[in-house]
Structures are given as structure tokens and as C-alpha cells.
Amino acid sequence: MAPAPQEGADPHLGPGGMGPRGRRGPASLLATAPGPCLLLLFCVPLSAGCPQSCQCPEHAGALAVHCSARGLQEIPRDIPAEAVLLKLDANRISHVPNGAFQHLQQLRELDLSQNAIETIGPAAFSGLAGGLRLLDLSHNRIRRVPKDALGKLSARIRLSHNPLHCECALQQALWELKLDPDSVHDIACHTSVQEEFVGKPLIQALDAGVSFCGVHHKTTDVAMLVTMFGWFAMVITYIVYYVRHNQEDTRRHLEYLKSLPSAPSPREPGGPGP
């Protein structure tokens, strides 16, 4: 004789919470699940947003993403949108593409130092203009500063220890940037349009009144003067040739006239007859 079902029990469940085919119901699974399994269910969503091989600790009560020295060759695409600090230093990143951080509206510090960055897209830091406070691009392979990419940022920028080429374009770009005062004196000319400044601090040269744009303008002015002098010399040569040629023609014409026989003079009227 089968035992009567207990009061309040689900008539579709068998004894011990078993289902009609011997499977346990949801309530029995939760009741008998070990403690670590429940902990795992609650912990997985918290770490799912962190990029692989990176760490995402709290930083001053906010989210930080540490991807330092991970051998990365490109910027991860799954960085959490709520990150306020992103460390990508000591990797092998060579290019910063357009829109690489456009979803990181809360980002305040971005560390890209000690990479192999050579090129930066003109819209690489789009979306960061309002909130970013520090951008570290030191110890890379940047030769020319991308004014389009950095000019709109209000962040302090570190550019020290890059093989910069000192020229007019670099000088104009630096006028629009907010350089980090702690590292500005470490910005040096790796190459330069003026060889005497190779290996010397760029800021020291600019503070002394050196203008790389002046060298460009001076070169242009000299080229214009040389061109104008060339045209002037050509005009003078043509005029001299024209005058000498006309003089020779005039001399020959006079000699021809002198060689002609003279005409007999007419007799005066009223003179003696024959």
C-alpha cells in the first residue's frame, strides 16, 4: 500500500523531491548543492568582464584593469566599460588603431609606456577627450607626434624617451599639447633638421628661442631668391644677346650702304652750254 502524499507536497514529485522520471526538482537541487557551487555561481559574473590574462582589482573604489607585461601585440577589445585605470605597459603593441578606447567613457589614466608603438590613428583616443587625465606614451618608437590624435585631449601627456624627429611639425604639435611637467625635460631630439640639436632636450632648445619652423621658412626664402635670380639672369642674357645682335645687323647695313657707288650730282640751271 503506497504511502499517502504529505500535505503541501507537489503531487508530481516522487519521494525525496524526485520528478516523474526519477530526476530531482529545482528545489531539491538548491537544497542539496554544496556551498562552493553556489559561491561559483555568484562569482563568475563578477570576473567575466576582465580581459583574458589581465587582472581587474579595485582602484580607489573603482575598477582598474592591469594588463602589464602580458606579451600583448594589440589592445584588448573586451576591456570593461567602467574601467577608470588601464595599464597596458611593457607589452609589444606597435599600433594604436582608431576607436580603440571609445567605449571607455570613465577612463582617467591610460598607460601605454614601454611598448613598440610607432603609429597612432588620428581617432585613436576618440571618446576620451573629456575625462582622461593622464596618457603615458613614454619609452616607445614614436618619431612624429600625431597632432590630430592628441590635440583634442586635456590630459597630461608623457612623450619622453621616444626617437622624435625635431622639425616644424613637431614644434607646432607640442604647442597644442599639455605635456606632463615631470617628464617634459626628458623629451630629446633623436634626429633634427638642425644637426646641432641631435641628442639634446627639445624643451631646452625651444626655451632658448630656437624655431625649427624658422629653418623651414628660411630655406624656402633662399630657394625663392635663387629661383628669382635665375630668371633675372636669363632675362639679362636675352637682352644682351638681342642688343648685340641688333648692333651687328646695324653695322652690316651701314657697311653695305657705304659700298654703294655715289650718284652724279645734277647740273645747276643757267650754267654755260656745251
Side-chain angles (χ1 to χ4, degrees), residues 89-100:
D89 55 302
N91 283 290
R92 293 182 291 174
I93 300 171
S94 61
H95 174 65
V96 183
N98 292 331

Side-chain angles (χ1 to χ4, degrees), residues 107-109 128-135 154-157:
L107 196 62
R108 297 294 178 266
E109 295 185 19
L128 302 180
L132 194 65
R133 296 292 175 263
L134 176 62
L135 173 60
S154 58
R156 291 181 291 112
I157 301 175

Side-chain angles (χ1 to χ4, degrees), residues 46 70 77 132 220 223:
L46 294 178
R70 303 293 178 177
R77 300 181 180 180
L132 194 65
T220 304

Side-chain angles (χ1 to χ4, degrees), residues 9 106 120 163-164 177 189 211:
Q106 302 181 37
I120 299 175
L164 295 173
L177 303 184
C189 298
S211 177

Side-chain angles (χ1 to χ4, degrees), residues 250-272:
T250 302
R251 185 182 63 80
R252 291 177 181 177
H253 185 67
L254 291 175
E255 290 180 354
Y256 172 75
L257 292 177
K258 291 179 180 180
S259 65
L260 292 176
S262 58
S265 59
R267 294 181 179 181
E268 295 180 0

Side-chain angles (χ1 to χ4, degrees), residues 81 104 111 139 149 159:
L104 304 177
D111 189 355
H139 295 274
L159 288 171

